[in-house]
Amino acid sequence: MTAGLLLASSMKVAHGRVNLRIASDGPLKGLMVDAGRDGTVRGYLGNPELELDLSRSSDGHYGFDFKRAAGTGYLHVVRDLGEGEPYSSTVELVSGAIGDDVASYLLHSEQTPSGVFVGEQIDSSGVRCSGGVLVQVLPKAAREPALVALLEERCREVSGFSARLAACQGDLHQLLVDIFPDLDPVPLDGDDGAAEQPISFHCPCSHRRSVNALKLLGRDELNAILTEDGQAELTCHFCNEVYDVGAGELQELIDELNLGAA
């Protein structure tokens, strides 16, 4: 979800959205994220019951082996500006680590060399912190080879990002100073005059949307559900909200489909 928000933050329109989907053969069974330029985000795992053991990396830090969990597969990215056909692209997973795979997408699909760092810390009570940094060189700065070389060197030196994220305790400017101590990072105002934007989990699912989704099953399938079960139950993958659709609503959908076919 952090990576999705980072990609969405660079979109030019306030209603723009980014979808990230990993389709892979690992025990994670893929994942899906929907993030908006407005700071809203939602996501789900193909296998939410999966538990991973901590593993120690070469630099002595402990983390989860996302590469093994993800397995081999593809990262699908869709950018939707709300104007015509969304732009979509697919790249092969390079490591199963979200930051590496999103950076690979930016390089190969958008021809934008980038550094992407995402991390989190989790304890027995849940997620303590989660966040990330997206580093890109603007066209004007790209004409300064020394600056680009320094930025690349600093990105290569970043290790233990999750621990650094936790140490900054929500002070994102301090996190940037920690990662790029000799680049003097300065916050810039956004399009709306603010350098910061609140983010939140938000799922726009509703009973009406769930009922409309049932239409995709077709008349025969809906008739079978009505005959065998007398009702339908739908669960949103993103927020786990459960919607019950009674016999009356099922019959109304069947009648609508019958009229459309007449």
Side-chain angles (χ1 to χ4, degrees):
M1 289 194 289
T2 296
L5 286 167
L6 287 172
L7 291 181
S9 69
S10 64
M11 300 184 77
K12 301 300 183 183
V13 293
H15 55 271
R17 301 201 70 81
V18 171
N19 291 158
L20 299 180
R21 182 169 66 89
I22 286 181
S24 59
D25 60 4
L28 193 68
K29 296 183 179 178
L31 61 82
M32 173 71 179
V33 166
D34 169 44
R37 176 67 177 80
D38 60 357
T40 59
V41 65
R42 60 179 180 163
Y44 69 87
L45 299 176
N47 179 14
E49 305 301 322
L50 178 65
E51 293 189 9
L52 299 176
D53 294 326
L54 284 174
S55 59
R56 188 174 183 177
S57 61
S58 58
D59 58 9
H61 293 93
Y62 286 88
F64 297 109
D65 189 354
F66 288 116
K67 182 177 182 178
R68 183 184 64 81
T72 59
Y74 297 88
L75 169 65
H76 307 279
V77 181
V78 177
R79 288 184 179 268
D80 188 357
L81 298 175
E83 303 167 357
E85 193 72 21
Y87 169 77
S88 62
S89 182
T90 299
V91 293
E92 191 171 357
L93 296 179
V94 294
S95 72
I98 299 297
D100 293 343
D101 293 322
V102 172
S104 174
Y105 154 76
L106 289 169
L107 176 62
H108 294 100
S109 294
E110 299 193 2
Q111 289 73 53
T112 307
S114 309
V116 183
F117 307 98
V118 291
E120 70 292 312
Q121 284 205 341
I122 303 172
D123 60 22
S124 58
S125 62
V127 179
R128 289 182 54 208
C129 67
S130 178
V133 173
L134 170 62
V135 186
Q136 295 179 322
V137 178
L138 296 175
K140 183 178 179 180
R143 296 194 292 267
E144 301 180 29
L147 176 61
V148 174
L150 178 61
L151 191 62
E152 291 177 341
E153 182 181 351
R154 291 293 173 264
C155 286
R156 284 194 296 267
E157 292 173 350
V158 174
S159 64
F161 180 79
S162 294
R164 292 185 174 198
L165 180 67
C168 81
Q169 298 182 342
D171 186 343
L172 299 183
H173 183 260
Q174 183 56 46
L175 176 64
L176 294 177
V177 171
D178 178 44
I179 297 176
F180 307 112
D182 41 16
L183 291 181
D184 191 26
V186 177
L188 298 177
D189 290 341
D191 296 336
D192 56 0
E196 299 182 2
Q197 179 187 48
I199 59 173
S200 63
F201 181 93
H202 173 69
C203 185
C205 70
S206 66
H207 184 83
R208 174 45 54 187
R209 288 191 177 197
S210 298
V211 171
N212 287 336
L214 283 174
K215 292 181 181 179
L216 300 176
L217 296 178
R219 288 177 299 168
D220 294 341
E221 184 68 22
L222 290 176
N223 271 311
I225 293 174
L226 182 60
T227 302
E228 297 173 11
D229 303 318
Q231 65 175 12
E233 182 181 279
L234 296 91
T235 301
C236 177
H237 285 301
F238 290 99
C239 67
N240 291 325
E241 186 72 31
V242 178
Y243 296 99
D244 294 318
V245 181
E249 285 184 293
L250 282 175
Q251 188 61 58
E252 288 178 8
L253 289 176
I254 294 170
D255 293 341
E256 285 182 32
L257 292 173
N258 284 333
L259 286 174

